[in-house]
């Protein structure tokens, strides 16, 4: 299963679903043929990653077979906490190390073969990746322009840890998204920023055309500062909360940590 992009996507969708889904519903969501979906579901069932449930038929006919993801019991939250604590006390260095770790993760991940030739392509790749990882992403069409796309991350597998270690958790996710997009052709074309906790249960990923790409598209001469909007080490820093909001993880936090994080943003 680890080498199959379609099966990982199906598993991520089932993990984020509030009730079992049948093959027809999954085919509609993924755009795959229902026969292909059933094949992948059979593999996931044999690997004990999903379970089958009998569901009432729609109208007349035989009962439907629904599928639900088997929930993991491994203490990933505790493991992530231990790892975060090993990155040292300086928020900036922790963030840089986390972004590097995220890029390393993205380099080893089977990211499929989805060429990024436009901002829309970058959005599709990012949405698929975030869905597979359990973030339940939603496209924020009201905030979209020709130069940026916002993706609402309505769930996070490490949300509680992110409230106290956002520079680590969000840094890893930022590096991961950037690496996957770069591997598919977005390097130098699309910038990625994360806005942690714009609401208590919501984070936002912002995908923007780079300054050079905008200038090319508009047939204008643009000058882009070499280090603009980047943290030390050549990676974009985590973005500040949208609309001037204060991130919950910095409220009532140690003033020195809040000050260092604000400087990084």
């Amino acid at each position: 299963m680890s080498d199959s992009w379609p099966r990982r996507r199906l598993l991520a969708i089932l993990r984020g679903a509030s009730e079992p889904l049948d093959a027809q519903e999954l085919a509609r969501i993924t755009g795959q043929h229902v026969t292909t979906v059933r094949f992948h579901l059979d593999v996931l069932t044999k690997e004990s990653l999903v379970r089958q449930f009998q569901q009432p038929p729609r109208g007349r006919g035989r009962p439907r077979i629904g599928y639900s993801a088997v929930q993991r019991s491994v203490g990933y939250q505790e493991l992530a906490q231990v790892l975060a604590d090993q990155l040292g006390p300086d928020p900036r260095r922790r963030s840089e190390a986390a972004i590097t770790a995220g890029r390393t993760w993205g380099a080893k991940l089977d990211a499929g073969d989805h060429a990024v030739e436009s901002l829309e392509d970058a959005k599709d790749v990012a949405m698929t990746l975030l869905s597979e990882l359990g973030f339940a992403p939603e496209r924020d069409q009201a905030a979209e322009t020709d130069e940026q796309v916002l993706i609402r991350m309505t769930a996070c597998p490490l949300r509680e840890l992110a409230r106290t270690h956002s520079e680590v958790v969000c840094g890893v996710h930022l590096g991961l998204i950037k690496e996957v997009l770069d591997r598919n052709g977005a390097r130098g074309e699309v910038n990625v920023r994360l806005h942690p906790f714009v609401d208590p249960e919501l984070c936002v990923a912002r995908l923007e055309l780079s300054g050079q790409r905008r200038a090319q598209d508009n047939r204008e001469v643009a000058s882009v500062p070499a280090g603009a909007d980047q943290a030390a080490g050549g990676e974009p820093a985590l973005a500040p909360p949208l609309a001037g909001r204060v991130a919950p993880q910095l409220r009532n936090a140690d003033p020195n940590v809040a000050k260092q994080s604000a400087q990084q943003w």
Side-chain angles (χ1 to χ4, degrees):
M1 197 282 293
S2 60
D3 294 329
S4 171
W5 174 276
R7 286 198 285 277
R8 287 206 309 273
R9 186 181 182 195
L10 286 172
L11 185 58
I13 293 171
L14 291 174
R15 283 175 177 160
S18 59
E19 59 184 16
L21 300 175
D22 64 20
Q24 294 282 356
E25 292 169 315
L26 290 167
R28 177 179 55 80
I29 293 171
T30 62
Q32 299 179 73
H33 192 278
V34 65
T35 302
T36 302
V37 169
R38 287 197 178 103
F39 168 76
H40 291 311
L41 289 171
D42 286 343
V43 175
L44 291 171
T45 300
K46 291 176 182 177
E47 294 182 350
S48 300
L49 294 173
V50 303
R51 293 175 181 167
Q52 296 183 2
F53 297 86
Q54 192 172 73
Q55 296 179 297
R58 293 192 180 100
R60 295 181 178 180
R62 294 181 300 176
R64 297 177 296 133
I65 301 298
Y67 297 84
S68 181
V70 175
Q71 298 301 317
R72 295 174 176 173
S73 60
V74 179
Y76 289 111
Q77 180 82 16
E78 292 76 12
L79 175 60
Q81 174 79 59
V82 171
L83 293 176
D85 290 341
Q86 299 304 307
L87 294 180
D90 180 49
R92 181 179 294 276
R93 291 185 178 180
R94 287 155 64 93
S95 177
E96 292 170 4
I99 291 172
T100 299
R103 278 195 171 276
T104 301
W105 181 14
K108 296 180 178 180
L109 190 67
D110 174 14
D113 184 15
H114 308 273
V116 175
E117 299 177 350
S118 66
L119 190 59
E120 184 74 9
D121 292 336
K123 180 271 301 178
D124 289 341
V125 171
M127 287 280 288
T128 299
L129 174 67
L130 292 171
S131 177
E132 290 187 348
L133 295 177
F135 286 90
E138 297 176 354
R139 183 172 178 172
D140 190 349
Q141 294 180 310
E144 290 185 10
T145 69
D146 292 338
E147 298 179 352
Q148 76 167 19
V149 168
L150 296 186
I151 300 175
R152 296 161 50 88
M153 301 157 67
T154 63
C156 175
L158 297 175
R159 177 176 286 160
E160 294 309 311
L161 180 60
R163 296 188 193 281
T164 55
H165 295 76
S166 65
E167 72 282 359
V168 174
V169 176
C170 300
V172 169
H173 295 150
L174 173 61
L176 172 63
I177 296 170
K178 285 182 61 64
E179 183 65 24
V180 169
L181 288 176
D182 286 355
R183 285 177 57 194
N184 284 281
R187 190 179 302 275
E189 302 289 324
V190 178
N191 295 326
V192 183
R193 292 164 64 86
L194 289 187
H195 301 269
F197 297 110
V198 299
D199 281 329
E201 307 299 323
L202 175 68
C203 299
V204 171
R206 182 195 297 268
L207 277 57
E208 304 170 310
L209 287 179
S210 68
Q212 293 174 336
R213 178 60 182 270
R214 290 198 299 268
Q216 178 182 342
D217 290 346
N218 296 330
R219 298 180 180 277
E220 297 175 352
V221 177
S223 176
V224 181
D229 200 27
Q230 291 188 343
E235 292 289 352
L238 297 182
L242 297 174
R245 298 176 183 174
V246 177
Q249 70 271 19
L250 294 182
R251 294 172 186 159
N252 303 319
D254 183 281
N256 293 325
V257 173
K259 181 178 180 181
Q260 288 173 317
S261 297
Q263 289 172 345
Q264 177 183 342
W265 289 345

